[in-house]
Amino acid sequence: NAGVTQTPKFRILKIGQSMTLQCTQDMNHNYMYWYRQDPGMGLKLIYYSVGAGITDKGEVPNGYNVSRSTTEDFPLRLELAAPSQTSVYFCASRPHRTASTDTQYFGPGTRLTVL
Amino acid sequence: GQQLNQSPQSMFIQEGEDVSMNCTSSSIFNTWLWYKQDPGEGPVLLIALYKAGELTSNGRLTAQFGITRKDSFLNISASIPSDVGIYFCAGRDQGAQKLVFGQGTRLTINP
């Protein structure tokens, strides 16, 4: 298994440009998450999905959109990039929750700079 | 919303020393998780705790789920250079789909 993969690793955008951050997992996990991590800070949840076709807002959803058409893919869309969206973005997944499978598996991250 | 306060924010220690860090919450959690993040990587799970009072070890790492369910502790014994990184705590409510993360403790080790 490759686990959780994210592309691209790095990206520089101009203000107002749009882009899609890709996330794919090959573990057949139901749950997927997008976080952003600002310098020196913890992770803040942007959006999450409990299964294909179902998405929900997290703590900081403004300026982002997501879709979940398949179990494997959970892309994050920025429509009008702003400097405040400069951050490192992490995708994560986990299996359907049982008593002992409460863990999330993280991708390597996408470092985005908006100038 | 729920908040986690993690302390200390940073630690500078000598190789071989023991390390202690903790996380406190404004509300009760049913699950506590501890992650480590290496530079340029995503967080990796170290220890998961599911019961109040639970004490769990993973090699030189030991974590405890506080009795009040509002706090958790992580100890690292006999630190080595590869322990360098940022350690995050995370908590989850019963039935909640989401984790709440602390701000992280940055560990630096002088050889």
Side-chain angles (χ1 to χ4, degrees), chain B residues 5 7-8 11 14 21 25-26 37 39 41-42 48 52 54 60 63 66 68 70-71 84 86 88-89 96 98 102 110:
Chain B
N5 287 316
S7 65
M11 302 183 73
Q14 298 293 325
M21 60 190 78
S25 168
S26 57
Q37 184 178 27
E41 302 290 330
E54 179 181 354
R60 292 177 296 104
T68 65
K70 289 186 175 183
D71 55 11
V84 165
I86 303 176
F88 289 100
C89 62
K98 301 170 282 188
N110 298 318

Side-chain angles (χ1 to χ4, degrees), chain A:
Chain A
N1 285 351
V4 180
T5 57
Q6 291 183 238
T7 57
K9 282 188 177 290
F10 304 93
R11 184 73 184 267
I12 298 175
L13 285 181
K14 294 182 179 178
I15 295 173
Q17 285 186 320
S18 62
M19 78 163 293
T20 299
L21 283 68
Q22 301 292 345
C23 176
T24 300
Q25 53 90 10
D26 61 358
M27 298 173 282
N28 202 32
H29 287 173
N30 295 93
Y31 297 87
M32 296 188 75
Y33 305 82
W34 273 106
Y35 295 89
R36 60 177 287 171
Q37 184 179 30
D38 297 329
M41 303 295 288
L43 290 91
K44 292 193 181 296
L45 183 65
I46 305 171
Y47 270 95
Y48 67 102
S49 168
V50 301
I54 306 170
T55 63
D56 210 343
K57 295 178 181 179
E59 189 181 352
V60 289
N62 291 344
Y64 307 95
N65 277 300
V66 293
S67 59
R68 184 90 183 275
S69 56
T70 66
T71 300
E72 295 78 20
D73 300 307
F74 190 39
L76 178 71
R77 178 89 178 153
L78 283 72
E79 291 293 349
L80 291 169
S84 61
Q85 293 178 304
T86 294
S87 190
V88 181
Y89 291 83
F90 289 102
C91 180
S93 73
R94 70 173 175 90
H96 183 71
R97 185 163 174 257
T98 67
S100 60
T101 55
D102 216 2
T103 66
Q104 291 186 10
Y105 299 85
F106 284 82
T110 293
R111 186 175 297 274
L112 176 67
T113 302
V114 182
L115 301 174

Side-chain angles (χ1 to χ4, degrees), chain B residues 36-44 82-86:
Chain B
K36 183 190 178 207
Q37 184 178 27
D38 291 325
E41 302 290 330
V44 174
S82 62
D83 291 334
V84 165
I86 303 176

